[in-house]
């Protein structure tokens, strides 16, 4: 199967171990390094390595030089001058006339392959340095912590008691109001400290006519139900006092039908706001709406005035809230922003937001929501990264869904992230092939700047996917715990920014995104699944303690039916990670695939063994992590 790794494959990625001088500006030069392990019989893995880079649209080749050799393999190096804003490249690795292999970001191919999987370096895609070290925690503000604000309850709201079950089907779904506030979030920041999270991501806080608040009535004011502007400033101060970062959520694709702009556009066809939307009798409601939902009129990004107010320049919404304490933005429906019919302004919008960030808060992070393949939107000076549903969530769900072939034990009533079918159960080889294909299509910095989610406020809970139940309560009997914790371990050991959705650490279950927005059960700690909570603390601590897990490269060694194995390599350390979903045979690999150092120190999980040139990895379920050397 294409994309399935071999332990003795040559390797390169965009991490510091393999790229020296990363961050070079246009016209600068980087040094590219390739690790070529010896063959199984100890013979050299290559007699020649050739760099093929695309310069001004035309391939240019140059020979790499072997600079060192050890008992495990050889290192090759070659310089690359960055002539274009985005430079794509690959390596020809050959042992002789009959050996023809391309090394690309998707793996090793003994044939010609399309350029889509080539390595890429972007001189414009400069990720803020702090992002790689973050562990995020996502909060739905209405459901995390409750305080009194004195704000009147609006007519649309259906007041609920904190322990009242959420309604996740029918017309009342967006109107259940539990009374969570930003001061309530601030009161529980100690929980983030307990977990070890370093970043708080809030879903929208602007005034709206729903508790999800993606139907904003203004981008200029925080919802009084959450405590208003002052509460956001208090929360930002508290977050920073705890040494955390704060990321907000902005909808650039649409507003609510009661938004100030839309109401002025309806009232006065000659108003500037009229150009912010698309009005025509050809649309079902007389105006373009997101997914034809009338309460969500779609913004028209051909309007320069709308861009100026929302995201372009120092007077924009984007700039204003960065100055008021945000460390970054997650942009809702980024994949559809600026795209409508014949218009495709998505890259222009993303680049303009980045320009605003550069001018106002150059160290801020810009994250895009994208529910499927975002690779075409991640190579330029726009989004720093995406919510990695395509390259992380989807393949992991397929591998850890019930853990049994043939659909046995699948949770009923779930669709596969928008597809009207049961979530499939696939081997690790298929999951890894998807991961490599997706991540091989974007620059390394885009992968590092993307977020890894087991689930979110828009999906079923991962604990339900792994078989933990469908009732919306905590899975206390542990039916889905083991597979859940395998997923957690991979979330904390793979490249990207892991983000925990509030309550996952307790073992909460849910069958869809609305069901997942459960009020946090602070008053009922007896309902928390303590083994799951402790596992979250351990795995987050492990990630924070080891630079290779936060900033290291990713070298796949093996993917079979029930296990996957990879190395996280950094100049300061190398870690071996082995994940098993259900009992299987031990995995034997050539020990020199690890590199010149084959001694192992186990940090988590079952021990591995190296003897007589063979690395033996355990077949018992769980995830093990080992220091190499």
């Amino acid at each position: 199967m294409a994309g399935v790794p071999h332990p003795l494959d040559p390797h390169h990625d965009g991490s510091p171990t393999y790229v020296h001088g990363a961050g070079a500006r246009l016209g600068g030069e980087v040094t590219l390094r390739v690790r070529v392990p010896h063959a199984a019989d100890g013979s050299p893995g290559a007699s020649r390595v050739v760099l093929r880079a695309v310069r001004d649209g035309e391939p240019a080749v140059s020979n790499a030089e072997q600079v060192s050799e050890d008992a495990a393999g050889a290192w090759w190096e070659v310089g690359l001058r960055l002539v274009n804003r985005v430079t794509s490249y690959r390596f020809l690795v050959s042992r002789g006339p009959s050996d023809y292999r391309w090394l690309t970001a998707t793996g090793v191919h003994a044939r010609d392959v399309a350029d889509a999987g080539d390595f890429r370096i972007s001189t414009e895609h400069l990720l803020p340095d702090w992002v790689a070290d973050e562990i995020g925690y996502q909060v739905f503000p209405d459901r995390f912590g409750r305080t009194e604000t004195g704000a009147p309850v609006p007519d649309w709201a259906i007041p609920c008691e904190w322990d009242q079950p959420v309604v996740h089907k029918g017309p009342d779904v967006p109107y259940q109001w539990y009374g969570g506030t930003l001061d309530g979030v601030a009161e529980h920041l100690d929980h983030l400290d307990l977990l070890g999270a370093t970043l708080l991501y809030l879903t929208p806080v602007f005034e709206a006519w729903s508790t999800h608040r993606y139907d904003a009535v203004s981008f200029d004011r925080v919802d009084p139900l959450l405590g208003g502007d002052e509460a956001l400033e208090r929360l930002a101060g508290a977050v920073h006092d705890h040494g955390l970062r704060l990321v907000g959520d902005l909808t650039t694709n649409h507003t609510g039908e009661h938004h100030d702009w839309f109401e002025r556009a309806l009232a006065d066809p000659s108003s500037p706001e009229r150009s912010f939307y698309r009005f025509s009798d050809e649309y079902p409601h007389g105006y373009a709406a997101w997914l034809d939902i009338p309460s969500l009129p779609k913004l028209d990004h051909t309007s320069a005035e709308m861009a100026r107010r929302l995201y372009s320049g120092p007077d924009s919404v984007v700039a204003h809230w960065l100055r008021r304490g945000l460390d970054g933005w997650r942009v809702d429906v980024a994949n559809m922003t600026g795209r409508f019919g014949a218009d495709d302004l998505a890259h222009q919008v993303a680049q303009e937001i980045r320009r605003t960030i550069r001018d106002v808060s150059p160290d801020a992070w810009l994250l895009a929501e994208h529910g499927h393949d975002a690779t075409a939107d991640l190579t330029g000076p726009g989004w720093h990264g995406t919510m990695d549903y395509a390259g992380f969530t989807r393949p992991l769900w397929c591998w850890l869904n019930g853990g049994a072939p043939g659909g046995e034990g699948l949770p009923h009533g779930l669709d596969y992230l928008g597809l009207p079918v049961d979530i499939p159960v696939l081997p690790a080889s298929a999951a890894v092939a998807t991961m490599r294909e997706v991540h091989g299509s974007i620059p390394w910095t885009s992968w590092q700047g993307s977020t890894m989610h087991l689930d979110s406020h828009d999906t079923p809970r991962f604990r339900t996917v792994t078989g933990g139940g469908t009732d919306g309560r905590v899975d206390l009997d542990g039916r889905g715990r083991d597979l859940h914790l395998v997923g957690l371990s991979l979330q904390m050991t793979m490249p990207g920014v892991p983000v925990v959705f509030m309550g996952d650490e307790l073992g909460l279950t849910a069958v869809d995104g609305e069901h997942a927005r459960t009020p946090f059960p602070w008053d009922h700690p007896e309902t928390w699944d303590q083994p799951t909570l402790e596992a979250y603390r351990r795995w987050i601590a492990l990630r924070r303690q080891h630079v290779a897990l936060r900033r290291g490269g990713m070298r796949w060694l093996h993917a079979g039916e029930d296990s996957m194995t990879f190395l996280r390599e950094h100049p300061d350390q190398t870690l071996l990670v082995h994940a098993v979903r259900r009992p299987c045979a031990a995995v034997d690999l050539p020990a020199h695939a690890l590199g010149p150092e084959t001694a192992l120190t186990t940090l988590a999980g079952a021990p591995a063994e190296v003897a007589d040139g063979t690395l033996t990895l355990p077949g018992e379920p769980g995830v093990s992590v080992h220091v190499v050397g």
Side-chain angles (χ1 to χ4, degrees):
M1 179 190 295
V4 175
H6 187 279
L8 300 182
D9 280 344
H11 183 74
H12 172 85
D13 59 45
S15 71
T17 301
Y18 294 91
V19 178
H20 293 174
R25 304 290 176 165
L26 197 63
E29 184 167 312
V30 297
T31 298
L32 306 177
R33 308 181 76 226
V34 180
R35 175 75 180 177
V36 184
H38 292 326
D41 62 3
S43 61
S47 61
R48 191 177 187 191
V49 175
V50 178
L51 169 69
R52 194 210 76 169
V54 177
R55 181 184 302 165
D56 298 331
E58 179 70 12
V61 298
S62 52
N63 289 314
E65 177 185 358
Q66 183 177 318
V67 294
S68 65
E69 185 176 8
D70 53 44
W75 283 99
W76 297 70
E77 288 187 0
V78 61
L80 174 65
R81 191 160 62 90
L82 304 179
V83 175
N84 305 117
R85 291 187 177 93
V86 178
T87 300
S88 62
Y89 63 94
R90 60 170 69 182
F91 299 95
L92 179 65
V93 181
S94 176
R95 286 184 290 254
S98 62
D99 181 41
Y100 183 76
R101 288 174 294 160
W102 285 114
L103 168 59
T104 75
T106 58
V108 176
H109 310 273
R111 59 182 176 85
D112 287 327
V113 290
D115 290 6
D118 282 5
F119 301 103
R120 287 176 175 80
I121 293 180
S122 172
T123 61
E124 298 176 312
H125 194 281
L126 304 176
L127 182 68
D129 185 66
W130 59 268
V131 171
D133 293 326
E134 300 306 305
I135 293 117
Y137 191 82
Q138 182 190 1
V139 164
F140 191 79
D142 183 57
R143 314 283 163 87
F144 194 61
R146 190 172 190 170
T147 63
E148 293 300 326
T149 64
V153 179
D155 292 341
W156 57 260
I158 302 172
C160 297
E161 296 300 321
W162 199 252
D163 293 337
Q164 189 172 331
V166 296
V167 174
H168 62 104
K169 300 291 184 184
D172 292 345
V173 166
Y175 308 120
Q176 277 193 299
W177 174 66
Y178 286 85
T181 64
L182 299 183
D183 287 326
V185 175
E187 287 184 355
H188 292 290
L189 291 178
D190 287 347
H191 182 69
L192 276 67
D193 296 336
L194 175 75
L195 283 178
T198 62
L199 177 144
L200 172 62
Y201 154 46
L202 297 172
T203 58
V205 299
F206 300 119
E207 186 175 357
W209 277 42
S210 70
T211 48
H212 60 68
R213 295 187 171 87
Y214 287 104
D215 59 336
V217 304
S218 173
F219 296 126
D220 297 327
R221 57 187 181 270
V222 174
D223 199 325
L225 293 178
L226 294 176
D229 295 5
E230 295 77 11
L232 181 60
E233 289 194 342
R234 288 192 296 271
L235 175 59
V239 164
H240 295 144
D241 287 345
H242 278 252
L244 311 175
R245 305 267 184 169
L246 179 62
V247 171
D249 198 328
L250 180 65
T251 303
T252 56
N253 177 72
H254 56 266
T255 68
E257 64 180 323
H258 302 289
H259 195 282
D260 300 340
W261 297 346
F262 191 66
E263 291 189 339
R264 284 196 288 271
L266 288 175
D268 183 2
S270 65
S271 67
E273 290 80 8
R274 186 78 173 187
S275 69
F276 296 6
Y277 303 90
R278 298 173 186 264
F279 291 92
S280 172
D281 292 339
E282 68 181 272
Y283 305 128
H285 314 291
Y287 54 87
W290 180 56
L291 303 182
D292 289 331
I293 301 171
S295 61
L296 301 174
K298 186 172 172 70
L299 290 165
D300 183 354
H301 286 270
T302 65
S303 169
E305 176 61 15
M306 187 275 292
R308 185 191 68 79
R309 294 195 201 178
L310 184 56
Y311 56 83
S312 182
D315 298 324
S316 64
V317 169
V318 164
H320 173 77
W321 295 105
L322 289 173
R323 287 192 294 263
R324 298 285 289 271
L326 295 186
D327 298 296
W329 284 108
R330 177 262 195 188
V331 174
D332 180 57
V333 201
N335 57 305
M336 296 182 73
T337 292
R339 290 182 168 132
F340 190 81
D343 293 336
D344 189 345
L345 303 176
H347 291 185
Q348 176 181 315
V349 174
Q351 291 170 20
E352 195 59 41
I353 298 175
R354 274 284 295 278
R355 275 191 286 270
T356 298
I357 287 174
R358 179 197 63 199
D359 294 341
V360 174
S361 183
D363 208 29
W365 182 27
L366 181 59
L367 180 70
E369 182 199 22
H370 205 306
H372 53 102
D373 183 4
T375 55
D377 293 342
L378 292 177
T379 58
W383 319 119
H384 285 124
T386 186
M387 299 175 74
D388 194 7
Y389 288 113
F392 180 79
T393 313
R394 296 177 71 94
L396 210 64
W397 277 27
C398 291
W399 189 50
L400 297 177
N401 176 24
E408 295 175 18
L410 291 182
H412 296 293
L414 300 186
D415 63 29
Y416 178 36
L417 289 170
L419 292 176
V421 296
D422 285 342
I423 305 165
V425 178
L426 300 178
S429 55
V432 169
T434 296
M435 291 177 178
R436 299 186 86 184
E437 184 173 330
V438 172
H439 298 142
S441 301
I442 56 178
W444 173 258
T445 48
S446 298
W447 185 4
Q448 214 175 24
S450 294
T451 50
M452 295 180 285
H453 300 258
L454 296 177
D455 53 28
S456 73
H457 67 299
D458 285 327
T459 74
R461 291 273 185 180
F462 186 61
R463 189 60 161 256
T464 293
V465 173
T466 61
T470 60
D471 58 11
R473 294 193 292 267
V474 169
D475 169 34
L476 276 176
D477 63 10
R479 284 178 295 160
R481 183 190 298 134
D482 290 347
L483 290 174
H484 180 177
L485 299 188
V486 171
L488 164 68
S489 306
L490 291 172
Q491 185 186 31
M492 295 301 159
T493 55
M494 286 186 166
V497 178
V499 176
V500 176
F501 180 43
M502 62 181 230
D504 276 356
E505 71 275 23
L506 310 183
L508 280 170
T509 62
V511 299
D512 56 38
E514 304 288 356
H515 199 205
R517 301 170 189 181
T518 306
F520 201 99
W522 296 111
D523 294 336
H524 300 286
E526 73 281 0
T527 68
W528 302 4
D529 184 36
Q530 291 296 331
T532 296
L533 179 59
E534 289 306 309
Y536 268 81
R537 295 182 65 188
R538 288 195 308 271
W539 283 101
I540 289 173
L542 191 74
R543 185 177 183 92
R544 293 187 63 174
Q545 290 163 6
H546 295 281
V547 66
L549 297 181
R550 304 189 312 275
R551 294 175 176 265
M554 179 79 161
R555 176 153 67 100
W556 287 101
L557 296 184
H558 170 78
E561 177 81 18
D562 294 310
S563 69
M564 57 176 69
T565 311
F566 55 90
L567 290 172
R568 299 298 311 276
E569 298 174 305
H570 186 271
D572 293 339
Q573 65 175 181
T574 296
L575 298 185
L576 170 68
V577 181
H578 179 61
V580 181
R581 71 175 173 183
R582 64 181 177 211
C584 64
V587 174
D588 289 337
L589 302 175
H592 74 273
L594 298 175
E597 302 292 336
T598 58
L600 298 178
T601 302
T602 300
L603 297 175
E609 296 181 358
V610 177
D612 300 324
T614 298
L615 166 66
T616 301
L617 297 160
E620 59 189 77
V623 176
S624 57
V625 180
H626 318 270
V627 178
V628 180

